[in-house]
Amino acid sequence: MSDCIFCKIVAKEIPATILHEDDDVLVFMDIGPIIKGHALVISKKHYDPVTETPDDILAKLHITAKRIAAAQMNALGAGGVNIMQNNGTAAGQEVPHIHVHVIPRFKTDGHHWNWNPTAYDDFEEIAKLAEKMRNHL
Ligand code: AMP
Ligand code: ZN
């Protein structure tokens, strides 16, 4: 994809601070970190969204994210990590090329996700939504 910024990073047409690379994936530092040390694991081949990404590539992305998480904990002293993957502008995705965010977390980092649980009207509403989804699995 000639106009995709992450494809350009894969092609080394624009710079990135690369952490790791193999035949399938590239890992580099996110330029706008939620927390310093935030890394992105991307597929070298352009896929998007997650539902169009082959299973073996998806597995590789997440196995690599696990290695990056370990490095953030062992090398940076992170107490935990958030591993996130956005799909679609409705979900806040900005770069439409499959990528996994690996964000190191520290007890003192002061970051709070805007995670506000809501509620269902009743169990029937939950059951109806689950039924719809089950029918598409
Ligand atoms: P998303 O919202 O899931 O699509 O996330 C896209 C991420 O890519 C954001 O966290 C950006 O900070 C990051 N990003 C965009 N352009 C670059 C770049 N040239 N180098 C490194 N990270 C980038
Ligand atoms: Zn791309």
Side-chain angles (χ1 to χ4, degrees):
M1 289 267 295
S2 57
D3 60 343
C4 171
I5 192 165
F6 283 0
C7 283
K8 286 182 180 159
I9 289 175
V10 170
K12 311 279 163 62
E13 288 169 15
I14 63 170
T17 304
I18 292 174
L19 288 170
H20 171 74
E21 171 167 19
D22 67 20
D23 288 346
D24 300 314
V25 302
L26 179 69
V27 187
F28 53 94
M29 301 296 273
D30 192 305
I31 201 131
I34 298 294
I35 304 293
K36 290 178 182 175
H38 181 167
L40 298 173
V41 183
I42 78 169
S43 163
K44 279 197 166 172
K45 221 172 147 189
H46 184 99
Y47 296 110
D48 190 68
V50 64
T51 46
E52 298 296 326
T53 302
D55 288 354
D56 59 334
I57 297 297
L58 207 51
K60 188 83 182 268
L61 290 170
H62 285 275
I63 290 165
T64 306
K66 173 184 166 183
R67 290 183 63 192
I68 301 302
Q72 290 171 338
M73 291 194 271
N74 295 329
L76 306 185
V81 299
N82 290 119
I83 296 179
M84 296 178 59
Q85 205 273 305
N86 301 325
N87 295 279
T89 53
Q93 186 185 13
E94 289 176 0
V95 180
H97 175 133
I98 187 95
H99 56 278
V100 177
H101 295 262
V102 188
I103 303 168
R105 299 303 307 274
F106 303 84
K107 284 257 186 226
T108 54
D109 65 33
H111 181 74
H112 297 283
W113 297 106
N114 188 16
W115 188 281
N116 298 320
T118 59
Y120 289 103
D121 291 341
D122 48 34
F123 280 110
E124 197 185 340
E125 187 185 12
I126 306 177
K128 276 185 183 160
L129 286 173
E131 177 71 6
K132 274 190 187 174
M133 289 161 64
R134 216 178 282 122
N135 290 338
H136 285 267
L137 290 177

